[in-house]
Every structure is written in structure tokens, then in C-alpha cells.
Amino acid sequence: MIAIYCRTSRSRAENETKTIDQQIKAGIDWAKSQNQNYTLYTDEGKSGYKLDDDNEPFQKRPEMMRMINDIKAGKIESVWVWEHSRLSRQSYVSAVIDREFEKHKIVLYENGKKYDYNSSTDSLTRTILSAVSKYERELIVARTTRGLHNAINLGNRSYAKFFGYKQIKQRDAHNHYQYEPVKSELDMIKTAYDMYLSGESLHQVTATLYQLKIIDIAEMKKLSTKWARILGHEEYTGYTLNMEGLKIEQDFNNRVIDNLRILLDVNKYWIPSKVYTVELITIEQWIDVKIKLRKNKGIKSKYRSVETLATGILKCHQCGSSYFYHDVRDHRTKKAYPYYTHLTGNIRRICKQSPKTISLY
């Protein structure tokens, strides 16, 4: 029995050497021409570069794993692939596959060419092919990266899903996807920006947007994280950062630099977006939002002070929520003092109880 193994790295492989259907047809035609019974194994949209785990190397390539198991069970005597890269694009992965093939005396056919694992010449050829496959992958990655960077610098940066816009079927003259605004979602984003810039917290913004009456802490954190991500998108300015600007933003997010106002140089770092054209906020306001988002995120210490040991123990008699420890700075004396209160600003606002300060001194 011959195994016909076919793989593409994408579900719709327009740029692959051979699509999955073409590989299948070529493999079946070859098997029939050799009067061979065959079993088909197809991994569509699966990478041929990475191993998932040393113990289960093909966990994310289920058909490859099924083929290897059938080989171990003695059901398969030979394997056909369109080319070496369909098996692997990484030398180490190729070595794992070759070890199994050699161990079980599998005959390999790459588009009709037979490889004998007992032949030193064939072994050398396959080693070279493995290196070539890896080199080809690196070229593909480099070309894709250059294409992505070029699209960004031209203002064509887009996402598969982007809150405030929906993808339409019609494409532009360059075959790019087009998007149209969703007014209800853009109105929510505009409201969120206005509230956040006026001093409201993310929790307060979220509670207002979703008209939350009863607070679930886990859900609130999830929604607040979502809206932090949305508000951080520069595309809502109607502009998009070029590659140089994105590098500065990344360094700011990673706390490599502290000054984001360098991005106020619009001509140097910004391009009008050709995809997301609605301006909900100015570039200067967006920078203020990014600074506030990073400040509010803060840096968590791995150490916990003694005062925080009672956090979460005390309960509010009105809503049943726990009190948590905070450090608050008095704007008059400039001194920090500790107190306990509800976990989020939304609970404090929705709950009728005014949390009492509990001095630790």
C-alpha cells in the first residue's frame, strides 16, 4: 500500500507550488499508473516547519501523524509526495521523518523519483533537498515581510476583523479587501474615547457602554482588556503609522522608551489610511490615550506588602463585593496613605454603599 501525502501551509494556497487539489490529483494519477493501491493523507493549512513536541512531533499535522502510525502498524510500504517541502521545510523535522521511514524500510517517491535510504548518494541528495526547502521557506518569509512592510508604508494596513468596520465582498483595483464603516460600533468607540480622555477608567467606560447593572469581576476584566486593545489602535485617527512609527510605538509599549510624543511629527511617521478612513480622534489625542493606557497598566511588583495580606477578606454589606487594598496619594499633602475599597471603580459607582476608609495605622 502506498501513502499519498499532500500538504499546504494555507487553507487557500494561491501562492503554493501546487494546491492541495493539484497534489492529490498528481498523486492518485501516479499511483494508478503504477497499479498501486493507495491511501490518501492531506494536511491543509498546516506548517511544514515546526515540530510541536519532541514526544508528539506532528500533533498539529493530524494526517502526518496518522500516516506515521499506519507506517508503524505495517499498513504502508511506500510514500508519495509532490516534493520534499511537502514533508518538511526544516532539517530537524526532516530528520525525524527520515528516521521513521528508514526504520520501517519505507520507499519514498517525490513526484515519481524514487529514493533509497540505503543509498549514500540518495541520502546526500535528500540532505541537500532538506536544506533547500528550509532556504525556500526563509525566502518566502522574507518576501512576505517585505510585502507587508510595503503595504503598511502605503497606508494599506488592514486586519481580518476590525471593530468599527466590516469586510465587503468587492475588492479594489489591486485585489485588496475593502471595508465599510459600521456606525453603531464607531459611535461606541467615539463614546469610549471621550469618556477615557475625560478621566473615566476603563471599567467605567465598559460599564457605561454595556449598561452593566450587576458586575461580574472576571467579565469586567475581559471587557476592559478588549477596550484597552481597541482604544490603542491608531487607525481610529484616520491615519496609520509607517514602519518607523510602529517601531517607536512598540518600544513605548515595551517600556524601552518613555517619550511617545515624538510621534506628533505627522509627516515623518503617519500615512492616511486607505482602509480605515473615519477620524474618531486626533493623533495628539490618541497619543494621550496611549500614554494613559500604559500608565494605568503599570508595572506589577513580584513583592507584596504586609498591608495587602487582608485584601479580599472584608466584604461590603450592600453588594457582597470584597474590599481590596489601595495606596492613595493626597493631592494636598502629597503623602500616600493606605485604605481598603471595592475592586473596581464601577462597583463603587453602582453600589450605593460609600466604601469606608480603613486605616492601618
Side-chain angles (χ1 to χ4, degrees):
M1 178 74 73
I2 188 169
I4 298 173
Y5 181 75
C6 307
R7 183 191 65 80
T8 57
S9 58
R10 307 178 197 179
S11 295
R12 293 181 297 169
E14 295 95 340
N15 297 323
E16 292 278 359
T17 305
K18 287 288 181 182
T19 67
I20 200 81
D21 292 335
Q22 290 172 314
Q23 292 178 47
I24 291 171
K25 183 179 184 305
I28 292 175
D29 288 346
W30 184 86
K32 289 180 177 179
S33 71
Q34 302 297 311
N35 295 319
Q36 291 265 14
N37 293 324
Y38 63 85
T39 300
L40 194 60
Y41 304 85
T42 58
D43 278 322
E44 188 171 6
K46 306 296 181 183
S47 171
Y49 184 73
K50 294 181 179 179
L51 276 179
D52 299 314
D53 182 272
D54 285 341
N55 296 322
E56 296 184 57
F58 304 108
Q59 188 175 4
K60 294 182 181 178
R61 290 168 68 181
E63 288 294 272
M64 168 61 78
M65 190 159 61
R66 184 168 72 90
M67 183 176 74
I68 294 294
N69 289 335
D70 286 349
I71 287 172
K72 291 178 178 179
K75 298 178 182 179
I76 301 298
E77 299 172 350
S78 56
V79 174
W80 179 96
V81 292
W82 171 256
E83 61 182 10
H84 178 81
S85 65
R86 300 306 89 199
L87 287 174
S88 165
R89 284 194 180 276
Q90 217 269 14
S91 301
Y92 180 54
V93 181
S94 293
V96 173
I97 295 172
D98 289 345
R99 182 183 62 193
E100 294 296 335
F101 284 11
E102 185 175 359
K103 180 179 178 180
H104 297 281
K105 301 186 181 339
I106 296 298
V107 177
L108 177 65
Y109 296 92
E110 293 186 6
N111 201 12
K113 178 173 176 53
K114 180 179 179 181
Y115 286 92
D116 183 358
Y117 282 94
N118 294 318
S119 168
S120 57
T121 302
D122 284 358
S123 296
L124 175 62
T125 302
R126 285 191 50 73
T127 301
I128 294 171
L129 287 174
S130 178
V132 169
S133 295
K134 182 179 179 181
Y135 174 68
E136 285 178 343
R137 181 188 182 275
E138 291 170 352
L139 288 180
I140 291 170
V141 171
R143 285 196 299 268
T144 302
T145 302
R146 285 197 302 270
L148 175 61
H149 289 182
N150 184 57
I152 289 172
N153 287 330
L154 291 175
N156 289 321
R157 187 183 190 188
S158 63
Y159 305 87
K161 291 183 179 180
F162 193 70
F163 192 74
Y165 292 82
K166 69 176 182 179
Q167 190 181 99
I168 59 178
K169 293 182 179 180
Q170 183 181 358
R171 300 196 185 194
D172 63 15
H174 301 286
N175 202 34
H176 296 146
Y177 285 110
Q178 295 188 82
Y179 298 80
E180 64 180 17
V182 179
K183 186 178 183 305
S184 60
E185 294 181 356
L186 292 179
D187 288 344
M188 288 181 70
I189 300 169
K190 177 62 176 171
T191 299
Y193 274 128
D194 290 343
M195 291 182 64
Y196 197 59
L197 285 171
S198 69
E200 301 281 359
S201 69
L202 281 172
H203 290 333
Q204 291 168 332
V205 170
T206 302
T208 299
L209 291 177
Y210 294 96
Q211 298 180 350
L212 298 177
K213 303 298 181 184
I214 300 175
I215 300 297
D216 178 270
I217 300 300
E219 184 65 19
M220 176 60 72
K221 287 183 177 180
K222 182 179 178 181
L223 289 173
S224 296
T225 300
K226 171 187 174 181
W227 277 93
R229 186 169 59 250
I230 290 173
L231 296 181
H233 271 291
E234 75 274 7
E235 289 85 358
Y236 295 120
T237 63
Y239 286 76
T240 184
L241 289 165
N242 60 21
M243 287 305 303
E244 191 175 357
L246 286 173
K247 177 62 169 60
I248 293 172
E249 183 191 8
Q250 182 182 29
D251 287 345
F252 178 79
N253 292 338
N254 294 333
R255 300 181 183 273
V256 176
I257 63 173
D258 293 320
N259 180 21
L260 193 63
R261 299 200 181 278
I262 189 175
L263 293 181
L264 286 172
D265 190 340
V266 178
N267 294 327
K268 185 175 182 180
Y269 299 113
W270 296 85
I271 312 101
S273 176
K274 296 178 181 177
V275 184
Y276 310 115
T277 56
V278 179
E279 181 183 337
L280 298 176
I281 187 174
T282 67
I283 289 174
E284 186 174 2
Q285 287 174 324
W286 175 82
I287 291 173
D288 290 339
V289 167
K290 288 289 291 186
I291 292 172
K292 185 178 178 181
L293 284 170
R294 197 184 87 162
K295 181 180 178 181
N296 290 347
K297 186 176 182 181
I299 302 176
K300 294 182 179 179
S301 173
K302 63 180 179 179
Y303 300 105
R304 188 171 67 169
S305 64
V306 176
E307 290 88 350
T308 65
L309 293 177
T311 205
I313 297 176
L314 300 173
K315 302 287 185 181
C316 173
H317 70 275
Q318 287 283 354
C319 65
S321 298
S322 299
Y323 282 86
F324 288 80
Y325 176 81
H326 291 267
D327 272 328
V328 173
R329 186 171 296 278
D330 190 309
H331 69 280
R332 293 167 298 181
T333 63
K334 305 301 182 184
K335 293 182 179 180
Y337 64 92
Y339 81 113
Y340 282 82
T341 186
H342 287 84
L343 176 60
T344 69
N346 292 288
I347 293 177
R348 290 200 302 273
R349 187 174 61 166
I350 294 170
C351 178
K352 302 300 181 183
Q353 164 71 5
S354 295
K356 295 180 179 179
T357 298
I358 303 173
S359 176
L360 300 182
Y361 299 124

